[in-house]
Amino acid sequence: MGPLAIHALLCAFKSRYQSSFRPQASEDNSSSAVPLDSLSSERIASLRKEFIHDLLLAHLGIISHRFYWQQGFGESYLCGSFVWRVDPLDIVAFQVTHGSLVSYLRTHLRAATAFRRLDWLSSRPLLPDATTEYRGNVWSALMHAVSEWLRVYSITLEDAYGRYVASNRTETHELLALTRLLKPFMTNMLTVAHACGVLSDARGSDVSQNVRVQSLSGLRLLAWLGRQAASTTNRSALPFLFHRATAPFLRFLHLWVQEGVHEDPFNEFAISLNSRFLFRKGAFCF
């Protein structure tokens, strides 16, 4: 199997078998039945390590028993979100209140939700049940760029955490230290998610305000991405995505200006031909 086939197979697996997965807590392993005396320092350290591990998996769009993907039956992936399965042992392990841990996780889960939604959106044409019509070359170039950026994002995040663990043995499993480490990643992810219309700019996870982004194509989509890239003060991936999305438009301009060929099969660039104003020789070129 080639890399494209493997990627398509992975997308199909995630779409079919992981969309509605929600782990059920076993009564035998219920945290309420665990005596506090049994929580030794080694056990607490193990709980922290497992929690951080599962949280990092969520940042890469992977479901675990702590962080599952909540999505209504028949709903789009753009309506789903990552949710923390509340476990009192996690609260005890980090020695914080329930409200504090929820506050810490809020941005993490939004970034994780953004990753999974972007991954689904960029992989949608490869899914076997994809029924959406082709949105044009600009949208296709943008989705290809998003898919490429997500792979680089995953590798960079894993590398950053690996170097952090190697140099900070004492704070490896501290949630606050992890939040500081991942803050640039989460900010970048949320910026890209908002620009692509998969996550609102507000605190909630509703995407109703950004549905219009999903309907843009051609020059309108480029104008939206250009404004978002220009208005971003922090370092983000938007300039890279905008540059990749402009490739079809630049190719259209090159063919039109340099060779006199008008090639716009999806009417993305708002330029049409009128044969009445063309000489016979010029009309033959078109």
Side-chain angles (χ1 to χ4, degrees):
M1 297 177 64
L4 185 61
I6 294 176
H7 184 56
L9 182 62
L10 178 61
C11 294
F13 173 80
K14 290 191 294 185
S15 175
R16 292 186 178 183
Y17 299 106
Q18 296 188 4
S19 60
S20 59
F21 173 76
R22 177 172 180 174
Q24 300 293 332
S26 174
E27 295 182 358
D28 297 336
N29 297 327
S30 176
S31 57
S32 60
V34 178
L36 294 179
D37 296 340
S38 64
L39 295 178
S40 61
S41 58
E42 292 79 8
R43 174 59 174 163
I44 292 178
S46 177
L47 287 173
R48 289 189 175 189
K49 182 178 180 180
E50 294 172 0
F51 186 93
I52 296 299
H53 175 266
D54 292 344
L55 184 58
L56 288 174
L57 289 181
H59 273 282
L60 301 180
I62 302 175
I63 297 171
S64 63
H65 78 281
R66 276 188 176 88
F67 303 101
Y68 63 91
W69 185 254
Q70 187 178 56
Q71 178 181 337
F73 180 77
E75 289 184 342
S76 168
Y77 254 72
L78 298 183
C79 298
S81 59
F82 267 105
V83 178
W84 170 47
R85 183 176 67 86
V86 180
D87 189 346
L89 287 182
D90 294 335
I91 301 174
V92 174
F94 287 101
Q95 300 178 358
V96 295
T97 63
H98 174 268
S100 298
L101 190 54
V102 170
S103 178
Y104 273 126
L105 291 176
R106 184 175 292 112
T107 305
H108 286 276
L109 294 182
R110 279 179 56 81
T113 297
F115 183 99
R116 192 170 176 88
R117 289 182 180 181
L118 284 173
D119 181 60
W120 174 83
L121 188 66
S122 61
S123 305
R124 194 176 183 186
L126 298 176
L127 297 178
D129 56 347
T131 57
T132 57
E133 59 180 352
Y134 189 67
R135 296 274 304 278
N137 294 332
V138 173
W139 179 263
S140 179
L142 174 62
M143 291 299 99
H144 180 75
V146 169
S147 179
E148 182 179 352
W149 175 73
L150 288 177
R151 290 195 296 269
V152 175
Y153 177 91
S154 303
I155 296 173
T156 307
L157 189 146
E158 293 178 5
D159 180 69
Y161 181 72
R163 288 186 283 106
Y164 168 77
V165 170
S167 59
N168 298 274
R169 295 287 183 179
T170 58
E171 298 183 356
T172 300
H173 304 136
E174 292 294 337
L175 188 57
L176 182 58
L178 179 68
T179 303
R180 289 196 298 264
L181 173 69
L182 299 183
K183 184 177 180 180
F185 292 90
M186 293 187 292
T187 302
N188 198 4
M189 175 59 67
L190 295 177
T191 302
V192 173
H194 171 62
C196 293
V198 301
L199 202 66
S200 66
D201 199 22
R203 299 293 295 179
S205 59
D206 182 25
V207 296
S208 58
Q209 297 179 356
N210 294 317
V211 172
R212 62 184 184 88
V213 181
Q214 303 295 322
S215 61
L216 297 179
S217 62
L219 290 179
R220 293 181 180 272
L221 179 59
L222 291 179
W224 164 259
L225 291 175
R227 288 195 300 268
Q228 296 301 310
S231 62
T232 303
T233 56
N234 58 327
R235 187 177 181 181
S236 70
L238 289 184
F240 165 77
L241 299 179
F242 175 72
H243 174 75
R244 289 299 184 90
T246 56
F249 179 61
L250 295 178
R251 181 179 182 275
F252 166 79
L253 287 180
H254 174 78
L255 292 176
W256 186 38
V257 176
Q258 298 294 331
E259 303 181 18
V261 176
H262 182 276
E263 185 176 321
D264 186 15
F266 303 102
N267 298 320
E268 297 180 273
F269 308 125
I271 297 177
S272 59
L273 293 178
N274 192 332
S275 59
R276 293 186 304 168
F277 299 97
L278 295 176
F279 293 104
R280 179 174 301 179
K281 183 178 179 180
F284 177 77
C285 295
F286 286 96

Coordinates of all heavy atoms in Angstrom, one line a residue, residues 92-168:
V92 N -7.1 14.2 42.9 CA -6.2 13.9 44.0 C -4.7 13.9 43.6 O -3.8 14.4 44.3 CB -6.6 12.6 44.7 CG1 -5.6 12.2 45.8 CG2 -8.0 12.7 45.2
A93 N -4.5 13.3 42.4 CA -3.1 13.2 42.0 C -2.4 14.5 41.8 O -1.2 14.7 42.1 CB -3.0 12.4 40.7
F94 N -3.1 15.5 41.3 CA -2.6 16.8 41.0 C -2.8 17.8 42.2 O -2.3 18.9 42.1 CB -3.1 17.4 39.8 CG -2.6 16.8 38.5 CD1 -3.4 15.9 37.8 CD2 -1.4 17.1 38.0 CE1 -2.9 15.3 36.7 CE2 -0.9 16.5 36.9 CZ -1.6 15.6 36.2
Q95 N -3.5 17.3 43.2 CA -3.7 18.1 44.4 C -4.3 19.5 44.1 O -3.9 20.5 44.6 CB -2.4 18.2 45.2 CG -1.8 16.9 45.6 CD -0.5 17.1 46.3 OE1 0.1 18.2 46.5 NE2 0.1 16.0 46.8
V96 N -5.4 19.4 43.3 CA -6.1 20.7 43.0 C -7.6 20.4 43.1 O -8.0 19.3 43.3 CB -5.8 21.1 41.5 CG1 -4.3 21.5 41.4 CG2 -6.1 20.0 40.5
T97 N -8.4 21.4 43.0 CA -9.8 21.3 43.1 C -10.3 20.9 41.7 O -9.6 21.0 40.7 CB -10.5 22.6 43.5 OG1 -10.2 23.6 42.5 CG2 -9.9 23.0 44.9
H98 N -11.5 20.4 41.7 CA -12.2 20.0 40.4 C -12.3 21.2 39.5 O -12.0 21.1 38.3 CB -13.6 19.5 40.7 CG -14.3 19.2 39.4 ND1 -15.2 20.1 38.9 CD2 -14.4 18.1 38.7 CE1 -15.7 19.5 37.8 NE2 -15.3 18.3 37.6
G99 N -12.6 22.4 40.0 CA -12.7 23.6 39.2 C -11.4 24.0 38.6 O -11.3 24.5 37.4
S100 N -10.3 23.9 39.4 CA -9.0 24.3 38.9 C -8.6 23.4 37.7 O -8.0 23.8 36.7 CB -8.0 24.2 40.0 OG -8.3 25.1 41.0
L101 N -8.8 22.1 37.9 CA -8.4 21.1 36.8 C -9.2 21.3 35.6 O -8.7 21.3 34.5 CB -8.6 19.7 37.3 CG -7.9 18.6 36.5 CD1 -6.5 18.9 36.2 CD2 -8.1 17.2 37.1
V102 N -10.5 21.6 35.7 CA -11.3 21.9 34.6 C -10.8 23.2 33.9 O -10.8 23.2 32.6 CB -12.8 22.1 35.0 CG1 -13.6 22.6 33.8 CG2 -13.4 20.7 35.4
S103 N -10.5 24.2 34.6 CA -9.9 25.4 34.0 C -8.6 25.2 33.3 O -8.4 25.7 32.2 CB -9.7 26.5 35.1 OG -9.2 27.7 34.6
Y104 N -7.8 24.4 33.9 CA -6.5 24.0 33.2 C -6.8 23.3 31.9 O -6.1 23.6 30.9 CB -5.7 23.1 34.1 CG -4.8 23.8 35.1 CD1 -4.8 23.6 36.4 CD2 -3.9 24.8 34.6 CE1 -4.0 24.2 37.3 CE2 -3.1 25.5 35.5 CZ -3.1 25.2 36.9 OH -2.3 25.9 37.7
L105 N -7.8 22.4 31.9 CA -8.0 21.6 30.7 C -8.8 22.3 29.6 O -8.8 21.8 28.5 CB -8.7 20.3 31.1 CG -7.9 19.3 32.0 CD1 -8.8 18.2 32.4 CD2 -6.7 18.8 31.2
R106 N -9.4 23.4 29.9 CA -10.3 24.0 28.9 C -9.6 24.3 27.6 O -10.1 24.0 26.5 CB -10.9 25.3 29.5 CG -11.9 25.9 28.6 CD -12.6 27.1 29.3 NE -13.5 26.7 30.4 CZ -13.2 26.9 31.6 NH1 -12.1 27.6 32.0 NH2 -14.1 26.5 32.6
T107 N -8.5 25.0 27.7 CA -7.7 25.4 26.5 C -7.1 24.1 25.8 O -7.1 24.0 24.6 CB -6.6 26.4 26.8 OG1 -7.2 27.5 27.4 CG2 -5.9 26.8 25.5
H108 N -6.7 23.2 26.6 CA -6.1 21.9 26.1 C -7.2 21.2 25.2 O -6.9 20.7 24.1 CB -5.6 21.0 27.2 CG -4.3 21.5 27.8 ND1 -3.1 21.2 27.3 CD2 -4.1 22.2 28.9 CE1 -2.2 21.7 28.1 NE2 -2.8 22.3 29.1
L109 N -8.4 21.1 25.8 CA -9.4 20.3 25.1 C -9.9 21.1 23.8 O -10.3 20.5 22.8 CB -10.6 20.1 26.0 CG -10.2 19.1 27.2 CD1 -11.5 18.9 28.0 CD2 -9.7 17.8 26.7
R110 N -9.9 22.4 23.9 CA -10.3 23.2 22.7 C -9.2 23.0 21.6 O -9.6 22.8 20.4 CB -10.4 24.7 23.0 CG -11.7 25.0 23.6 CD -11.8 26.5 24.0 NE -11.5 27.4 22.8 CZ -12.4 27.7 21.9 NH1 -13.6 27.2 22.0 NH2 -12.1 28.4 20.9
A111 N -8.0 23.0 21.9 CA -6.9 22.7 20.9 C -7.0 21.3 20.4 O -6.8 21.1 19.2 CB -5.5 23.0 21.5
A112 N -7.3 20.3 21.3 CA -7.4 18.9 20.8 C -8.6 18.8 19.9 O -8.5 18.1 18.9 CB -7.5 18.0 22.1
T113 N -9.7 19.4 20.3 CA -10.9 19.4 19.4 C -10.6 20.0 18.1 O -11.0 19.5 17.0 CB -12.0 20.2 20.1 OG1 -12.4 19.5 21.3 CG2 -13.3 20.2 19.2
A114 N -9.9 21.1 18.1 CA -9.5 21.8 16.8 C -8.7 20.9 15.9 O -8.9 20.8 14.7 CB -8.8 23.1 17.1
F115 N -7.7 20.2 16.5 CA -6.9 19.2 15.7 C -7.7 18.2 15.1 O -7.6 17.9 13.9 CB -5.8 18.6 16.7 CG -4.9 17.7 15.9 CD1 -3.6 18.2 15.6 CD2 -5.2 16.4 15.6 CE1 -2.7 17.4 14.9 CE2 -4.3 15.6 14.9 CZ -3.1 16.1 14.6
R116 N -8.6 17.5 15.8 CA -9.4 16.4 15.3 C -10.4 16.9 14.2 O -10.6 16.2 13.2 CB -10.1 15.7 16.4 CG -10.7 14.4 16.0 CD -11.2 13.6 17.2 NE -11.9 12.4 16.8 CZ -11.3 11.2 16.6 NH1 -10.0 11.1 16.8 NH2 -12.0 10.1 16.3
R117 N -10.9 18.1 14.4 CA -11.8 18.6 13.4 C -11.1 19.0 12.1 O -11.6 18.7 11.0 CB -12.6 19.9 14.0 CG -13.6 19.6 15.0 CD -14.3 20.8 15.5 NE -15.3 20.6 16.5 CZ -16.0 21.5 17.1 NH1 -15.9 22.8 16.7 NH2 -16.9 21.2 18.0
L118 N -9.9 19.6 12.3 CA -9.1 19.9 11.1 C -8.7 18.6 10.4 O -8.6 18.6 9.1 CB -7.9 20.8 11.5 CG -8.2 22.2 11.8 CD1 -6.9 22.9 12.4 CD2 -8.7 23.0 10.6
D119 N -8.3 17.6 11.1 CA -7.9 16.4 10.6 C -9.0 15.7 9.8 O -8.8 15.2 8.7 CB -7.4 15.4 11.7 CG -6.9 14.1 11.1 OD1 -5.9 14.1 10.3 OD2 -7.4 13.1 11.5
W120 N -10.2 15.8 10.3 CA -11.4 15.2 9.6 C -11.7 16.0 8.4 O -11.9 15.5 7.3 CB -12.6 15.2 10.5 CG -13.8 14.8 9.8 CD1 -14.2 13.5 9.6 CD2 -14.8 15.6 9.3 NE1 -15.4 13.5 8.9 CE2 -15.8 14.8 8.7 CE3 -15.0 17.0 9.2 CZ2 -16.9 15.3 8.0 CZ3 -16.1 17.5 8.5 CH2 -17.1 16.7 8.0
L121 N -11.6 17.4 8.5 CA -11.9 18.2 7.3 C -11.0 18.0 6.2 O -11.4 17.9 5.0 CB -12.0 19.7 7.8 CG -12.5 20.7 6.8 CD1 -14.0 20.5 6.5 CD2 -12.2 22.1 7.3
S122 N -9.7 17.9 6.5 CA -8.7 17.8 5.5 C -8.7 16.4 4.9 O -8.2 16.1 3.8 CB -7.3 18.1 6.0 OG -6.9 17.2 7.1
S123 N -9.2 15.4 5.7 CA -9.2 14.0 5.2 C -10.5 13.6 4.6 O -10.7 12.5 4.1 CB -8.9 13.0 6.4 OG -7.7 13.4 7.0
R124 N -11.5 14.5 4.6 CA -12.8 14.2 4.2 C -12.9 13.6 2.7 O -13.6 12.7 2.5 CB -13.7 15.4 4.3 CG -15.2 15.1 4.2 CD -16.1 16.3 4.5 NE -17.5 16.0 4.5 CZ -18.4 16.9 4.6 NH1 -18.1 18.2 4.7 NH2 -19.7 16.6 4.6
P125 N -12.2 14.2 1.8 CA -12.3 13.7 0.4 C -11.8 12.3 0.3 O -12.1 11.6 -0.7 CB -11.4 14.6 -0.4 CG -11.4 15.9 0.4 CD -11.4 15.5 1.8
L126 N -11.0 11.8 1.3 CA -10.4 10.4 1.2 C -11.3 9.4 1.8 O -11.1 8.2 1.7 CB -9.1 10.4 1.9 CG -8.0 11.3 1.3 CD1 -6.7 11.2 2.1 CD2 -7.7 10.8 -0.2
L127 N -12.4 9.8 2.6 CA -13.3 8.9 3.2 C -14.1 8.2 2.2 O -14.6 8.8 1.2 CB -14.1 9.6 4.3 CG -13.4 10.3 5.4 CD1 -14.3 11.1 6.3 CD2 -12.6 9.3 6.2
P128 N -14.4 6.9 2.5 CA -15.2 6.1 1.5 C -16.7 6.6 1.4 O -17.3 6.4 0.4 CB -15.2 4.7 2.1 CG -14.9 4.9 3.5 CD -14.0 6.1 3.6
D129 N -17.2 7.3 2.4 CA -18.6 7.8 2.3 C -18.7 9.3 2.0 O -19.7 9.9 2.3 CB -19.3 7.5 3.7 CG -18.6 8.1 4.8 OD1 -17.4 8.6 4.7 OD2 -19.2 8.2 5.9
A130 N -17.6 9.9 1.5 CA -17.6 11.3 1.1 C -18.6 11.6 0.0 O -18.5 11.0 -1.1 CB -16.2 11.7 0.8
T131 N -19.5 12.4 0.3 CA -20.6 12.7 -0.7 C -20.6 14.2 -1.1 O -21.4 14.6 -1.9 CB -21.9 12.4 -0.2 OG1 -22.2 13.1 1.0 CG2 -22.0 10.9 0.1
T132 N -19.7 15.0 -0.6 CA -19.7 16.4 -0.8 C -19.1 16.7 -2.2 O -18.2 16.0 -2.7 CB -18.8 17.2 0.2 OG1 -17.5 16.6 0.2 CG2 -19.4 17.0 1.6
E133 N -19.6 17.7 -2.8 CA -19.1 18.1 -4.2 C -17.8 18.8 -4.1 O -17.4 19.3 -3.0 CB -20.1 19.0 -4.9 CG -20.4 20.3 -4.1 CD -21.4 21.1 -4.8 OE1 -21.8 20.8 -6.0 OE2 -21.9 22.2 -4.3
Y134 N -17.1 18.8 -5.2 CA -15.8 19.4 -5.2 C -15.9 20.9 -5.1 O -16.7 21.5 -5.7 CB -15.1 19.0 -6.6 CG -13.6 19.4 -6.6 CD1 -12.7 18.8 -5.8 CD2 -13.2 20.4 -7.5 CE1 -11.4 19.1 -5.9 CE2 -11.9 20.8 -7.6 CZ -10.9 20.1 -6.8 OH -9.6 20.5 -6.8
R135 N -15.1 21.5 -4.2 CA -15.2 22.9 -3.8 C -14.3 23.8 -4.6 O -14.3 25.0 -4.4 CB -14.9 23.0 -2.3 CG -15.8 22.3 -1.4 CD -17.0 23.2 -1.1 NE -16.6 24.4 -0.5 CZ -16.3 24.6 0.7 NH1 -16.3 23.6 1.6 NH2 -15.9 25.8 1.2
G136 N -13.5 23.2 -5.5 CA -12.6 24.0 -6.3 C -11.2 23.8 -6.0 O -10.8 23.2 -4.9
N137 N -10.3 24.3 -6.8 CA -8.9 24.1 -6.6 C -8.3 24.8 -5.4 O -7.4 24.4 -4.8 CB -8.1 24.5 -7.9 CG -8.5 23.6 -9.1 OD1 -8.9 22.4 -8.9 ND2 -8.4 24.1 -10.3
V138 N -8.8 26.0 -5.1 CA -8.3 26.8 -4.0 C -8.6 26.1 -2.7 O -7.7 25.9 -1.8 CB -8.9 28.2 -4.0 CG1 -8.4 29.0 -2.7 CG2 -8.4 29.0 -5.2
W139 N -9.8 25.6 -2.5 CA -10.2 24.9 -1.3 C -9.4 23.6 -1.2 O -8.9 23.2 -0.1 CB -11.7 24.6 -1.3 CG -12.1 23.8 -0.1 CD1 -12.3 22.5 0.0 CD2 -12.4 24.3 1.2 NE1 -12.7 22.1 1.3 CE2 -12.7 23.2 2.0 CE3 -12.4 25.6 1.8 CZ2 -13.1 23.4 3.4 CZ3 -12.7 25.8 3.1 CH2 -13.1 24.7 3.9
S140 N -9.2 22.9 -2.3 CA -8.4 21.7 -2.3 C -7.0 21.9 -1.9 O -6.4 21.1 -1.2 CB -8.5 21.0 -3.7 OG -7.7 19.8 -3.7
A141 N -6.4 23.0 -2.5 CA -5.0 23.3 -2.1 C -4.9 23.7 -0.6 O -3.9 23.3 0.1 CB -4.5 24.5 -2.9
L142 N -5.9 24.4 -0.1 CA -5.9 24.7 1.3 C -6.0 23.5 2.2 O -5.3 23.3 3.2 CB -7.1 25.7 1.6 CG -7.3 26.0 3.1 CD1 -6.1 26.7 3.7 CD2 -8.6 26.8 3.3
M143 N -6.9 22.5 1.9 CA -7.0 21.3 2.6 C -5.7 20.5 2.6 O -5.3 19.8 3.6 CB -8.2 20.5 2.1 CG -9.5 21.1 2.4 SD -9.8 21.3 4.2 CE -9.4 23.1 4.4
H144 N -5.1 20.5 1.4 CA -3.8 19.7 1.3 C -2.7 20.4 2.2 O -2.0 19.7 2.9 CB -3.3 19.7 -0.1 CG -2.0 19.0 -0.3 ND1 -1.9 17.6 -0.3 CD2 -0.8 19.4 -0.5 CE1 -0.7 17.3 -0.5 NE2 0.1 18.3 -0.6
A145 N -2.7 21.7 2.3 CA -1.8 22.4 3.1 C -2.1 22.2 4.6 O -1.2 22.0 5.4 CB -1.8 23.9 2.8
V146 N -3.4 22.1 5.0 CA -3.7 21.9 6.3 C -3.3 20.5 6.7 O -2.8 20.3 7.8 CB -5.3 22.0 6.5 CG1 -5.7 21.5 7.9 CG2 -5.7 23.5 6.4
S147 N -3.5 19.5 5.9 CA -3.1 18.1 6.2 C -1.6 18.0 6.3 O -1.1 17.4 7.3 CB -3.5 17.2 5.0 OG -3.1 15.9 5.3
E148 N -0.8 18.7 5.5 CA 0.6 18.7 5.6 C 1.1 19.4 6.9 O 2.0 19.0 7.6 CB 1.2 19.4 4.4 CG 2.8 19.5 4.4 CD 3.3 20.2 3.2 OE1 2.5 20.5 2.3 OE2 4.5 20.4 3.1
W149 N 0.4 20.5 7.2 CA 0.7 21.3 8.5 C 0.4 20.4 9.7 O 1.2 20.5 10.7 CB 0.0 22.6 8.5 CG 0.2 23.3 9.8 CD1 1.3 24.0 10.2 CD2 -0.7 23.5 10.9 NE1 1.2 24.5 11.5 CE2 -0.1 24.2 11.9 CE3 -2.0 23.0 11.1 CZ2 -0.7 24.5 13.1 CZ3 -2.7 23.3 12.3 CH2 -2.0 24.1 13.3
L150 N -0.7 19.7 9.7 CA -1.0 18.9 10.9 C 0.1 17.8 11.1 O 0.4 17.5 12.3 CB -2.4 18.2 10.7 CG -3.6 19.1 10.7 CD1 -4.9 18.3 10.4 CD2 -3.7 19.8 12.1
R151 N 0.6 17.2 10.1 CA 1.7 16.3 10.2 C 2.9 16.9 10.9 O 3.5 16.3 11.8 CB 2.0 15.6 8.9 CG 1.0 14.7 8.4 CD 1.5 13.8 7.2 NE 1.9 14.6 6.1 CZ 1.1 14.9 5.1 NH1 -0.2 14.5 5.1 NH2 1.5 15.6 4.1
V152 N 3.3 18.1 10.4 CA 4.4 18.8 10.9 C 4.1 19.2 12.4 O 5.0 19.1 13.3 CB 4.8 20.0 10.1 CG1 5.9 20.9 10.7 CG2 5.1 19.6 8.7
Y153 N 2.9 19.6 12.7 CA 2.5 20.0 14.0 C 2.7 18.8 15.0 O 3.2 19.0 16.1 CB 1.0 20.5 14.0 CG 0.4 20.8 15.3 CD1 0.5 22.1 15.8 CD2 -0.2 19.9 16.1 CE1 -0.1 22.5 17.0 CE2 -0.8 20.2 17.3 CZ -0.7 21.5 17.8 OH -1.3 21.8 19.0
S154 N 2.2 17.6 14.6 CA 2.4 16.5 15.4 C 3.8 16.1 15.7 O 4.2 15.9 16.9 CB 1.7 15.3 14.8 OG 0.3 15.5 14.5
I155 N 4.6 16.1 14.7 CA 6.0 15.8 14.9 C 6.7 16.8 15.8 O 7.5 16.5 16.7 CB 6.7 15.7 13.5 CG1 6.2 14.6 12.7 CG2 8.2 15.5 13.7 CD1 6.7 14.5 11.3
T156 N 6.4 18.1 15.5 CA 7.1 19.2 16.3 C 6.6 19.1 17.8 O 7.4 19.3 18.7 CB 6.7 20.6 15.7 OG1 7.0 20.6 14.3 CG2 7.5 21.7 16.4
L157 N 5.3 18.8 18.0 CA 4.9 18.8 19.4 C 5.5 17.6 20.1 O 6.0 17.7 21.3 CB 3.3 18.6 19.4 CG 2.6 18.7 20.7 CD1 1.3 19.4 20.6 CD2 2.4 17.3 21.4
E158 N 5.6 16.4 19.5 CA 6.2 15.3 20.1 C 7.7 15.6 20.4 O 8.3 15.2 21.4 CB 6.1 14.1 19.2 CG 4.7 13.6 19.1 CD 4.6 12.4 18.2 OE1 5.6 11.9 17.7 OE2 3.4 11.9 17.9
D159 N 8.4 16.2 19.4 CA 9.8 16.5 19.6 C 10.0 17.5 20.8 O 10.9 17.4 21.6 CB 10.4 17.1 18.3 CG 11.8 17.4 18.4 OD1 12.7 16.5 18.6 OD2 12.2 18.6 18.4
A160 N 9.1 18.5 20.8 CA 9.3 19.5 21.9 C 9.0 18.9 23.3 O 9.8 19.2 24.2 CB 8.3 20.7 21.7
Y161 N 8.1 18.0 23.4 CA 7.8 17.4 24.7 C 9.0 16.4 25.0 O 9.3 16.3 26.2 CB 6.5 16.6 24.6 CG 6.2 16.0 26.0 CD1 5.8 16.7 27.1 CD2 6.3 14.6 26.1 CE1 5.5 16.1 28.3 CE2 6.0 14.0 27.3 CZ 5.6 14.7 28.4 OH 5.4 14.1 29.6
G162 N 9.5 15.7 24.0 CA 10.6 14.8 24.3 C 11.8 15.6 24.8 O 12.5 15.1 25.7
R163 N 12.1 16.7 24.2 CA 13.3 17.5 24.7 C 13.0 18.1 26.0 O 13.9 18.2 26.9 CB 13.6 18.6 23.6 CG 14.2 18.1 22.4 CD 14.7 19.2 21.4 NE 13.5 19.8 20.7 CZ 13.0 20.9 21.0 NH1 13.5 21.7 22.0 NH2 12.0 21.4 20.3
Y164 N 11.8 18.4 26.3 CA 11.4 19.0 27.6 C 11.6 17.9 28.7 O 12.1 18.2 29.8 CB 10.0 19.5 27.5 CG 9.4 19.8 28.9 CD1 9.7 21.0 29.6 CD2 8.5 18.9 29.5 CE1 9.2 21.3 30.8 CE2 8.0 19.2 30.8 CZ 8.3 20.4 31.4 OH 7.8 20.7 32.6
V165 N 11.1 16.7 28.4 CA 11.3 15.6 29.4 C 12.7 15.3 29.7 O 13.1 15.1 30.8 CB 10.5 14.4 28.9 CG1 10.9 13.2 29.8 CG2 9.0 14.6 28.9
A166 N 13.6 15.4 28.6 CA 15.0 15.1 28.8 C 15.7 16.1 29.6 O 16.7 15.8 30.3 CB 15.6 14.9 27.4
S167 N 15.2 17.4 29.6 CA 15.9 18.4 30.3 C 15.3 18.8 31.6 O 15.9 19.6 32.4 CB 16.0 19.7 29.4 OG 14.7 20.1 29.0
N168 N 14.0 18.4 31.9 CA 13.3 18.7 33.1 C 12.7 17.5 33.7 O 11.6 17.2 33.6 CB 12.2 19.7 32.8 CG 12.7 21.0 32.2 OD1 13.1 21.9 33.0 ND2 12.8 21.1 30.9

